[in-house]
């Protein structure tokens, strides 16, 4: 890691070699600008963050309490504020805390078509654009924070306080970047394997070190928590996993991470019958889950599709949509096969989209997967599509009933009712929710916990609260008491919104470029000074 002093020395030598023409260039100012922009390209970021993820995966293999987490962010500012908050609340430490880029939120919030459902109808380039935007804001957070340290350093020098100046220089040398890994959703690849490869390259060039891809049919893609999902045979999915790996390797991100997501638990349909060459191969295993009936050649109808298995003629059930149906109750077995196959063919992590957050259900599948891939690790969606309160109250109710505990005071079908909010059952359920991440990391192989859409919901909730107060009887007090005063009390950096938008950095640059002639914004009449 280059120190502040080293950067100044390097810049000074560069200026010297260019003679009098560069006399007005300050080596220290050059050093500051270089330190404020340590990541020059998205590929720099992808390589740096890929190494972080790989180290975190190794640490988790040794100690399951070292799981990782992220929140989905739909705008660069949201991602930036999240990382600023993490550094503020956790002593400047960003360890094992990532960002998540949700395809759902890109579709709902970033498409030029306006809000769309999670069906891959948005512009594919908007995914890479959001990755680039997130990292632009994170790099700006670095520059802003370092700029503040540089101004403090100048003040300490001016005051002759060498002890403080040395301490500040140490902070600068050991600055922790806001740049962290992003797990980026490529949906089902937006087309064939070539289309997947092309988009993956754009995402990696924007900074993505980790790409998540799912085994649905691209043109039939649905949100993992909706009905109507259609999967593809394993070989089709593996071709896309290989396409993403080739994209990483072509761009020199050799440690790039691939998350293979299976939607088979909730997907009862397939568009294709898999190609099979011999009994027991991948295609045959995929087809073995189809809902079929044995038929006699005399009973065949025009256009029937027939499978020959063990000397029997089987007719898969084909729907009016021309899709084929899997047998009911095969979802978990298909998830296990999907996950093992993906890990054995180039994926690094797996994602099983479940219908509820239940540690035992997830753990049972992971136990089966780990029989074949012992170090299998899961990325899990702590989804806002789950009713966490109801699910965990029902889990506690069922556990208590099984233990013989009296549950007659509770109506299982109505456990969401506010009348139970202060009850013993509710408290037990809330404790299970609180410890869910640690429990699932320990008992179900979950390396990474993410919430896909949290900032979508927080934006809606905070806006609703402000609108209710500001446009109601509280008027301006609705904003002051509900927002600004809380920002000040909680030390929210963007209470100084001009500073957050870069006005102080702009002043620094004006001074570098024009010296005493610079017209700066942060003078005594700047109202931002009211916030201290």
């Amino acid at each position: 890691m280059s120190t502040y002093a080293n950067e100044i020395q390097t810049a000074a030598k560069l200026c010297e070699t260019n003679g009098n023409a560069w006399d007005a260039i300050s080596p220290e100012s050059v050093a500051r600008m270089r330190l404020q922009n340590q990541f020059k390209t998205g590929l720099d970021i992808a390589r740096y963050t890929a190494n972080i993820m790989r180290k975190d995966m190794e640490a988790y293999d040794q100690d399951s309490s070292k799981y990782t987490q992220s929140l989905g962010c739909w705008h660069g500012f949201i991602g930036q504020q999240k990382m600023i908050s993490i550094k503020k609340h956790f002593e400047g430490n960003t360890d094992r805390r990532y960002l998540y880029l949700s395809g759902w939120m890109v579709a709902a919030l970033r498409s030029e078509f306006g809000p769309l459902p999670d069906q891959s109808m948005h512009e594919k380039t908007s995914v890479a654009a959001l990755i680039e935007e997130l990292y632009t804001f994170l790099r700006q957070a670095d520059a802003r924070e370092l700029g503040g340290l540089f101004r403090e350093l100048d003040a300490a020098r001016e005051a002759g306080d060498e002890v403080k100046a040395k301490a500040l220089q140490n902070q600068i040398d050991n600055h922790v970047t806001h740049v962290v890994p992003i797990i980026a959703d490529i949906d089902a690849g937006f087309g064939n394997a070539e289309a997947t490869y092309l988009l993956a390259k754009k995402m990696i060039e924007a900074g993505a070190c980790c790409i998540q891809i799912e085994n649905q049919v691209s043109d039939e893609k649905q949100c993992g928590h909706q009905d109507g999902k259609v999967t593809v045979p394993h070989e089709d999915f593996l071709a896309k996993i290989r396409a993403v790996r080739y994209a990483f390797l072509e761009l020199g991100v050799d440690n790039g991470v691939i998350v293979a997501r299976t939607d088979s638990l909730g997907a009862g349909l397939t568009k294709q019958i898999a190609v099979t060459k011999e009994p027991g191969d991948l295609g045959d295993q995929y087809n073995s889950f189809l809902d079929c009936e044995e038929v006699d050649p005399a009973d065949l109808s025009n256009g029937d599709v027939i499978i020959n298995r063990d000397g029997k003629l089987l007719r898969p059930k084909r729907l009016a949509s021309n899709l084929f149906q899997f047998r009911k109750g095969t979802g978990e077995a298909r998830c296990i096969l999907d996950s093992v196959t993906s890990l054995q063919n180039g994926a690094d992590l797996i994602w099983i989209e479940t219908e509820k957050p239940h540690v035992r259900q997830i753990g049972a599948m992971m136990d089966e997967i780990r029989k074949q891939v012992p170090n299998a690790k899961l990325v899990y969606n702590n989804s806002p599509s789950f009713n966490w309160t109801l699910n965990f109250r029902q889990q506690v109710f069922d556990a208590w009933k099984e233990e013989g505990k009296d549950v007659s005071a509770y109506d299982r079908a109505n456990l969401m009712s506010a009348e139970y909010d202060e009850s013993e059952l509710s408290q037990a359920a809330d404790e299970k929710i609180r410890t869910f991440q640690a429990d699932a990391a320990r008992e179900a192989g979950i390396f990474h916990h993410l919430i896909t859409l949290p900032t979508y919901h927080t934006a809606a909730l905070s806006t609703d609260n402000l609108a209710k107060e500001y446009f109601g009887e509280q008027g301006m007090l609705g904003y002051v008491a509900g927002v600004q005063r809380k920002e000040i009390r909680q030390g929210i950096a963007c209470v100084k919104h001009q500073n957050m938008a870069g006005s102080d950095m702009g002043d620094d640059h004006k001074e570098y470029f024009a010296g005493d002639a610079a017209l700066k914004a942060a003078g005594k009449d700047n109202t931002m000074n009211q916030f201290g």
Side-chain angles (χ1 to χ4, degrees):
M1 182 182 70
S2 180
T3 66
Y4 187 40
N6 288 342
E7 286 288 353
I8 294 172
Q9 189 176 30
T10 300
K13 288 180 180 178
L14 186 62
C15 289
E16 286 173 14
T17 62
N18 285 275
N20 295 337
W22 282 25
D23 280 351
I25 300 296
S26 162
E28 186 161 14
S29 297
V30 173
R32 290 180 177 189
M33 293 176 80
R34 284 184 169 181
L35 288 173
Q36 286 175 299
N37 186 25
Q38 64 171 305
F39 300 103
K40 305 301 186 288
T41 69
L43 288 176
D44 290 340
I45 292 170
R47 294 186 188 104
Y48 168 77
T49 53
N51 289 335
I52 291 174
M53 277 200 76
R54 291 290 178 177
K55 288 177 183 176
D56 287 346
M57 289 160 68
E58 290 174 10
Y60 174 81
D61 285 339
Q62 301 301 315
D63 180 357
S64 64
S65 70
K66 293 183 177 177
Y67 58 88
T68 58
Q69 300 168 282
S70 65
L71 296 175
C73 299
W74 53 271
H75 191 280
F77 176 74
I78 301 296
Q80 178 199 66
Q81 293 305 301
K82 176 192 139 180
M83 295 314 303
I84 288 173
S85 293
I86 284 171
K87 288 192 67 175
K88 180 181 76 173
H89 291 298
F90 299 97
E91 299 178 341
N93 189 342
T94 64
D95 288 355
R96 304 196 306 277
R97 299 176 180 100
Y98 304 168
L99 292 180
Y100 180 67
L101 184 150
S102 158
W104 192 101
M105 285 207 285
V106 174
L109 297 170
R110 303 304 300 255
S111 171
E112 292 184 10
F113 295 108
L116 293 172
D118 185 17
Q119 296 172 353
S120 292
M121 295 187 290
H122 55 279
E123 310 85 355
K124 65 172 72 176
T125 52
S126 59
V127 183
L130 180 52
I131 296 169
E132 183 175 8
E133 177 182 293
L134 282 161
Y135 280 128
T136 296
F137 274 78
L138 294 184
R139 289 160 68 192
Q140 192 260 11
D142 280 357
R144 171 188 164 274
E145 190 169 73
L146 282 165
L149 291 173
F150 294 144
R151 285 186 289 279
E152 286 186 58
L153 177 61
D154 290 340
R157 287 172 173 172
E158 191 174 336
D161 190 339
E162 292 183 12
V163 173
K164 186 173 183 181
K166 188 174 182 179
L168 285 162
Q169 200 157 321
N170 186 58
Q171 285 185 58
I172 292 165
D173 288 342
N174 293 284
H175 178 259
V176 176
T177 179
H178 295 81
V179 170
V180 296
I182 286 179
I183 296 177
D185 186 359
I186 200 172
D187 284 352
F190 287 86
N192 61 15
E194 175 70 5
T196 301
Y197 153 78
L198 292 171
L199 179 55
K201 281 202 349 178
K202 287 291 185 185
M203 293 168 68
I204 297 162
E205 287 169 340
C209 72
C210 179
I211 293 178
Q212 163 213 327
I213 187 165
E214 62 202 54
N215 69 334
Q216 291 190 44
V217 178
S218 282
D219 57 358
E220 303 286 353
K221 185 261 186 308
Q222 293 277 13
C223 172
H225 292 279
Q226 292 186 307
D227 206 353
K229 294 182 290 296
V230 184
T231 62
V232 297
H234 292 95
E235 290 297 346
D236 294 38
F237 188 52
L238 297 181
K240 291 188 175 183
I241 289 175
R242 287 190 288 271
V244 175
R245 179 63 64 204
Y246 272 111
F248 274 125
L249 293 173
E250 177 185 337
L251 295 171
V253 185
D254 299 346
N255 266 352
V257 179
I258 298 174
V259 179
R261 171 177 138 181
T262 172
D263 283 287
S264 290
L265 198 61
L269 303 169
T270 182
K271 198 167 189 177
Q272 298 167 262
I273 294 174
V275 174
T276 174
K277 296 178 181 177
E278 58 185 50
D281 65 14
L282 266 181
D284 191 45
Q285 291 180 69
Y286 186 80
N287 294 339
S288 70
F289 295 114
L290 291 169
D291 188 0
C292 300
E293 59 179 347
E294 188 175 352
V295 293
D296 187 276
D299 297 329
L300 296 179
S301 301
N302 185 55
D304 274 352
V305 174
I306 301 299
I307 293 176
N308 178 12
R309 182 182 297 135
D310 299 327
K312 297 178 181 179
L313 295 181
L314 304 176
R315 178 167 54 199
K317 184 171 183 179
R318 185 160 60 173
L319 307 181
S321 60
N322 205 29
L323 299 171
F324 297 94
Q325 183 172 293
F326 290 113
R327 297 193 315 277
K328 291 188 181 301
T330 62
E332 289 196 5
R334 285 184 283 125
C335 280
I336 292 164
L337 180 60
D338 293 343
S339 299
V340 169
T341 301
S342 296
L343 290 169
Q344 290 176 338
N345 288 273
D348 303 291
L349 299 166
I350 51 175
W351 169 321
I352 298 175
E353 194 73 278
T354 67
E355 82 286 0
K356 60 181 179 293
H358 197 294
V359 173
R360 276 189 295 175
Q361 179 199 30
I362 303 162
M365 286 188 280
M366 283 300 289
D367 287 344
E368 292 301 311
I369 293 165
R370 284 180 159 179
K371 288 178 181 177
Q372 299 181 66
V373 186
N375 69 337
K377 289 178 282 296
L378 194 64
V379 172
Y380 190 71
N381 178 9
N382 298 326
S383 177
S385 293
F386 302 143
N387 185 331
W388 286 78
T389 301
L390 180 61
N391 265 292
F392 277 83
R393 287 181 182 181
Q394 288 178 340
Q395 287 179 38
V396 171
F397 180 97
D398 294 342
W400 283 3
K401 187 174 181 180
E402 189 175 327
E403 294 166 7
K405 188 169 182 175
D406 182 11
V407 291
S408 60
Y410 303 99
D411 176 6
R412 189 183 188 280
N414 196 37
L415 287 175
M416 189 64 203
S417 173
E419 69 179 279
Y420 297 126
D421 284 356
E422 304 303 321
S423 67
E424 182 187 0
L425 183 143
S426 173
Q427 292 170 11
D430 282 355
E431 180 61 13
K432 280 187 170 291
I433 294 171
R434 188 187 71 80
T435 64
F436 175 78
Q437 292 176 309
D439 294 344
R442 182 181 62 253
E443 299 171 24
I446 296 179
F447 159 73
H448 187 80
H449 283 275
L450 60 91
I451 307 179
T452 43
L453 321 174
T455 54
Y456 177 88
H457 292 278
T458 55
L461 178 62
S462 61
T463 302
D464 179 78
N465 290 334
L466 175 60
K468 178 180 67 176
E469 299 294 335
Y470 178 74
F471 293 105
E473 292 183 0
Q474 293 300 306
M476 191 59 197
L477 183 60
Y479 172 76
V480 172
V483 180
Q484 189 180 78
R485 194 175 296 158
K486 289 182 179 180
E487 286 182 302
I488 295 169
R489 300 283 187 261
Q490 292 177 221
I492 304 298
C494 67
V495 71
K496 296 184 178 182
H497 49 259
Q498 305 286 13
N499 168 270
M500 186 58 64
S503 66
D504 288 331
M505 284 189 292
D507 278 357
D508 293 340
H509 292 164
K510 289 174 187 176
E511 190 170 0
Y512 300 164
F513 306 154
D516 292 339
L519 182 62
K520 297 193 288 187
K524 63 181 178 62
D525 292 329
N526 188 323
T527 56
M528 191 168 64
N529 295 332
Q530 295 174 26
F531 298 102

